[in-house]
Each structure stands twice: as C-alpha cells, then as structure tokens.
Amino acid sequence: MREVEFKYKKWGTMRSIKRTLPTNYAEMTPAQFLATVRLSKGWIDEREFFLQFFGLTDKLLARMDAFQLYSLTETLGFLKQIKAACHNFYCEELSGKLLAPAEKLSGMSFQQFMTVDTYFSWFLVTEKEQYLDAFIAALYLKRNESYFKEEGLTVLDMTSRIPEVHSIHMDLKYSILVNWVLIKSWLSSAYPFLFPEGEASPNSKGDKVKGKPVDWLGLFDAWVGDNVASMEAYRRLSCMDAIRMLNRKIKEANK
C-alpha cells in the first residue's frame, strides 16, 4: 500500500486529502476492483474511473491538472497484470444473503469447485450469460446451504438460484468472473500440473482468450477409478486437498 496526498486550493487556502492506494490486486478494495473491471470493459470512461477508484469528487477532479492525473495513472501499472495471483473474493456477499467461499477457498468442497469451474469454462467458450449466471449461482451459497444432504443444511437448488442471480447487474457478475481468473492464477502458480498456463481466461482488456479448459468430469472419473463406493467421499473432500493430490498424481505421471 502507498499513501497519496491530493493538494488543492479552495477560497485561497491550500487544502489536502489523503488516499491509500493499492500496489497490487490483493490490496484493492471491492469498489476499486469493480471500477477496474468497469473500465476494462468500457462500461465507464477514464474520468468516471478516477472518481470511483480514488474516491474523488467531481469538483476535486476538476482541480487536478494533466500531470497530476498522469502521475496517478502511473501508480496503477499493476492493473495490466490480469494474471496476478489472488486468493480471496472482493465481493464477499451478494443480495445480502449469498456468501462467497472464504479466503484460499477454505470450506469449499471439491464438488463445488468442479461445478463452479465447469460453468466458468462453458461461459468462456460460449459467451452465453446463462452459464455466467450458473457459475455465480454455484459459487455463492447461503449460510445454511450445501452441495450435500446434511442435517440442518439445505441442498443447493440451482433451478431456483439461477433466476435470482440473473437479476444482478452485469458489471458485478463480470467482476466475479475476473476474480475467479485471479484465483485460478494463484492456483496455477501453486499447482502448475493441474492448472497449466494457457487455460481459457479474459485478458487484460477484458477480452476472452479461448484455451483448453480442465475436463473435471474426466479427471474425477480417472481419479476415482473403480473405487465407486468412495465416490461421495471424494466429492466431499476439501477442494484444496483434492487439488493438491491431483496435481501430485499428474506430476508423477509426467515423469
């Protein structure tokens, strides 16, 4: 983090305000991340980006000269690095009741991870909003929801959740998509055999670069093999435990 001080004159008196600015994606606030996605997609112009990202008012922005704006832009060079690693969700809650997985995907089952990433891949390939909605519906759960039948918990009903997610504004939905790209980049750096470079993802301009997504169904079937009786246990595994084991098996197979 770095601190920036904006100085300006008002009624002949020199005044200033201070802002804390991020130096990487991990340090951005949810509002800053959303502003970045909006700009990358062309949904806002640079002026509106400055207002949203730096928390400036119209009057203060109008007092800034071209050099000051250029200097601010220079502090944000890291924004071009869309492959930067990130292991948390900027938007932790949707509609006041739907919650994202915890930091480093803590508490996320392997079944949920496979479902989320499959819909993510389908959206990148087809560009159909229905898969973007399904991706988010599979990702954000209520406190009492689960992918499995358990006492005191309700099994996620995708049929009813998808229409609910559809009403969320596109800029927020797309920001969640980009957030998943950053999380996949973090996973790729830690588990390169399971998440090799070149997987389909939006680039720094928000355009989609199509690659070969992970075939989770095929990987899961190969992993379980004939051990069908334990299939449910595999699905319930912590996704990070499953990812670590699969990455090791692929690494050993490639020796």
Side-chain angles (χ1 to χ4, degrees):
M1 284 285 197
R2 68 179 67 177
E3 188 174 72
V4 175
E5 184 177 15
F6 300 96
K7 294 183 178 180
Y8 61 98
K9 282 187 177 181
K10 184 175 183 181
W11 308 114
T13 303
M14 185 63 71
R15 302 189 179 188
S16 68
I17 62 170
K18 294 181 179 180
R19 291 288 186 271
T20 300
L21 301 184
T23 57
N24 54 57
Y25 273 90
E27 294 177 349
M28 282 199 292
T29 66
Q32 289 171 335
F33 182 68
L34 187 55
T36 300
V37 172
R38 287 168 174 161
L39 179 66
S40 73
K41 293 297 292 180
W43 291 328
I44 58 174
D45 57 21
E46 290 186 358
R47 176 185 171 280
E48 187 61 31
F49 170 76
F50 278 110
L51 293 175
Q52 294 182 18
F53 192 94
F54 295 104
L56 304 175
T57 63
D58 285 305
K59 290 184 178 180
L60 181 55
L61 184 61
R63 290 189 175 97
M64 299 178 69
D65 58 33
F67 179 74
Q68 288 174 310
L69 293 176
Y70 171 78
S71 297
L72 283 179
T73 303
E74 286 296 289
T75 68
L76 303 178
F78 71 89
L79 294 180
K80 299 176 182 179
Q81 301 172 5
I82 195 64
K83 284 297 185 180
C86 172
H87 50 62
N88 65 287
F89 288 91
Y90 294 98
C91 181
E92 298 178 348
E93 185 176 302
L94 288 174
S95 305
K97 57 185 177 181
L98 302 178
L99 304 177
E103 189 173 1
K104 295 185 178 180
L105 304 182
S106 175
M108 189 180 202
S109 69
F110 190 41
Q111 177 63 61
Q112 183 181 9
F113 183 92
M114 291 190 295
T115 304
V116 169
D117 202 52
T118 296
Y119 283 126
F120 166 79
S121 298
W122 288 357
F123 173 72
L124 293 183
V125 173
T126 67
E127 301 185 24
K128 293 182 179 180
E129 189 176 356
Q130 68 190 73
Y131 293 126
L132 177 59
D133 291 341
F135 157 73
I136 296 173
L139 183 61
Y140 283 76
L141 304 180
K142 293 180 180 179
R143 293 186 186 279
N144 65 334
E145 279 184 333
S146 173
Y147 271 67
F148 310 99
K149 291 183 178 180
E150 296 182 27
E151 186 176 353
L153 297 178
T154 302
V155 176
L156 170 65
D157 181 3
M158 290 287 287
T159 303
S160 61
R161 181 59 47 76
I162 290 176
E164 183 180 347
V165 168
H166 182 70
S167 63
I168 297 172
H169 200 281
M170 177 57 80
D171 61 353
L172 180 53
K173 290 195 288 189
Y174 197 85
S175 75
I176 296 170
L177 181 86
V178 175
N179 201 158
W180 189 251
V181 172
L182 298 179
I183 288 174
K184 292 289 291 291
S185 181
W186 164 64
L187 290 171
S188 179
S189 64
Y191 307 102
F193 292 93
L194 185 57
F195 301 102
E197 289 292 332
E199 188 179 357
S201 64
N203 63 18
S204 59
K205 296 182 180 179
D207 302 319
K208 284 178 281 295
V209 180
K210 296 178 181 178
K212 185 178 180 181
V214 177
D215 176 13
W216 287 113
L217 181 59
L219 278 172
F220 184 78
D221 287 344
W223 189 27
V224 175
D226 296 328
N227 196 12
V228 179
S230 299
M231 184 177 293
E232 181 77 359
Y234 280 88
R235 295 181 188 276
R236 288 175 175 266
L237 273 175
S238 159
C239 70
M240 296 307 299
D241 287 341
I243 286 169
R244 185 181 66 255
M245 288 186 282
L246 277 171
N247 185 77
R248 186 178 66 247
K249 286 183 69 70
I250 295 173
K251 179 180 179 179
E252 292 173 351
N254 289 337
K255 287 183 179 180

